[in-house]
């Protein structure tokens, strides 16, 4: 497994065009591999996420079973004349194998929190419609409902640090709700190939409860719309109290 970080040059029109469509990023990421891994669920898949940290720093993260070659992205949306390398790839397998129960990490996850709804006119047994969770409270509950089967638990705040009677019990921030609508084909038919998703970013702290399940979460993704930049969770060391 590999974790790759690529900085997008948002000063270039091609870089901005790329970021304007998750379908274009999906295609560019897939083009990084001679043979993209299978998406049938039999093994780890390619996951990606875009982090817009500041107006001058936009990073593309990719987790993949094979080492990617992002030369085409450097030429399209990077700094091809720079002496600095266009991307950095880290061996991820050793990090994953070193995860243990009760390890605490900071995390970031961009996901597509959805639920199935049944309209009054839909008969019993007919298909329900998938809809996005719209409020931070429901989006948070979406993540909390999946944590056990994903091999982790979001860390609870000490009672003295909880500012609200409810909804503030966890080391978890929900931010950057972004509704997206884009086309995944060039077909002219109206409505054909249209995709609508809502991306939400979670920042927080977690505790590993089941390392095997958690490794699967990190390499297979969490939730829907993985092809369009959702589902990838990354970890960061937690600074302990008293450390500089």
């Amino acid at each position: 497994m590999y974790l790759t970080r690529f900085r997008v040059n948002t000063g270039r029109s091609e870089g901005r065009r790329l970021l304007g469509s998750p379908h274009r990023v999906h295609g560019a990421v897939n083009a990084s591999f001679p043979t993209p891994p299978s998406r049938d669920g039999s093994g780890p898949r390619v996951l990606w996420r875009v982090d817009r940290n500041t107006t001058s720093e936009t990073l593309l993260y990719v987790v993949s079973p094979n080492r990617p070659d992002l030369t085409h992205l450097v030429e399209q949306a990077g700094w091809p004349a720079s002496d600095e390398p266009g991307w950095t790839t880290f061996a991820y397998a050793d990090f994953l194998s070193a995860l243990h129960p009760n390890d605490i990490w900071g995390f970031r996850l961009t996901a597509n929190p959805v639920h199935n709804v049944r309209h009054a006119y839909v008969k019993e047994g007919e298909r329900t419609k998938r809809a996005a969770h719209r409020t931070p409270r429901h989006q948070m509950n979406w993540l909390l409902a999946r944590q056990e089967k994903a091999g982790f638990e979001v860390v609870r705040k000490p009672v003295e640090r909880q500012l609200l009677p409810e909804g503030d019990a966890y080391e978890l921030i929900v931010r950057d709700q972004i509704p997206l609508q884009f086309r995944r084909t060039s077909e002219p038919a109206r409505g054909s190939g249209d995709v609508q998703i809502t991306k939400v970013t979670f920042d927080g702290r977690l505790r590993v409860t089941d390392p095997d399940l958690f490794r699967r979460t990190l390499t297979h993704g969490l939730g829907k719309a993985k092809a369009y930049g959702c589902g990838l969770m990354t970890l960061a060391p937690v600074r302990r109290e008293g450390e500089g």
Side-chain angles (χ1 to χ4, degrees):
M1 294 298 300
Y2 297 91
L3 171 65
T4 300
R5 183 179 62 212
F6 171 80
R7 184 178 175 189
V8 182
N9 186 350
T10 55
R12 300 183 64 178
S13 59
E14 281 300 305
R16 296 191 299 272
R17 182 173 181 271
L18 176 72
L19 295 173
S21 169
H23 180 62
R24 293 194 188 99
V25 182
H26 170 63
V29 169
N30 277 353
S32 304
F33 308 94
T35 305
S38 173
R39 293 172 54 190
D40 61 5
S42 61
R45 60 177 296 162
V46 174
L47 302 168
W48 63 269
R49 187 183 77 217
V50 172
D51 284 3
R52 293 176 170 84
N53 295 330
T54 66
T55 55
S56 61
E57 184 182 68
T58 298
L59 301 175
L60 169 66
Y61 288 93
V62 179
V63 165
S64 57
N66 303 314
R67 182 184 292 271
D69 180 353
L70 303 186
T71 303
H72 62 297
L73 271 174
V74 175
E75 295 171 348
Q76 175 187 0
W79 287 265
S82 173
D83 292 332
E84 298 181 5
W87 70 92
T88 305
T89 297
F90 307 91
Y92 204 32
D94 290 344
F95 172 80
L96 294 172
S97 64
L99 293 170
H100 295 95
N102 296 318
D103 284 351
I104 295 179
W105 293 92
F107 75 91
R108 173 169 292 177
L109 166 70
T110 293
N112 175 223
V114 296
H115 62 124
N116 292 323
V117 297
R118 183 183 300 279
H119 296 292
Y121 56 82
V122 177
K123 297 179 181 179
E124 187 68 28
E126 294 185 1
R127 294 180 61 183
T128 56
K129 183 179 180 181
R130 186 179 297 165
H133 285 298
R134 300 296 184 185
T135 68
R137 179 180 176 183
H138 286 100
Q139 292 158 354
M140 182 184 298
N141 288 338
W142 174 90
L143 179 60
L144 296 175
R146 283 155 180 77
Q147 59 182 349
E148 181 178 356
K149 292 184 178 180
F152 70 91
E153 61 181 13
V154 178
V155 174
R156 286 181 173 269
K157 290 181 179 179
V159 175
E160 62 271 16
R161 289 184 49 213
Q162 296 180 21
L163 304 179
L164 302 173
E166 57 180 278
D168 189 47
Y170 296 92
E171 297 278 4
L172 182 63
I173 298 173
V174 184
R175 62 178 182 83
D176 294 346
Q177 176 172 292
I178 305 174
L180 297 172
Q181 182 172 350
F182 55 94
R183 298 184 64 80
R184 60 184 173 191
T185 73
S186 57
E187 299 174 13
R190 186 175 182 179
S192 175
D194 284 353
V195 177
Q196 296 185 42
I197 61 175
T198 298
K199 286 187 176 184
V200 174
T201 296
F202 300 91
D203 284 334
R205 293 187 180 188
L206 60 78
R207 178 181 293 104
V208 179
T209 56
D210 186 318
D212 289 335
L213 287 177
F214 191 48
R215 291 183 192 104
R216 180 178 176 83
T217 297
L218 296 176
T219 57
H220 288 68
L222 188 62
K224 304 293 185 180
K226 297 182 183 72
Y228 300 119
C230 297
L232 172 58
M233 176 184 285
T234 52
L235 305 179
V238 173
R239 179 179 295 178
R240 300 180 184 276
E241 293 185 9
E243 291 182 350

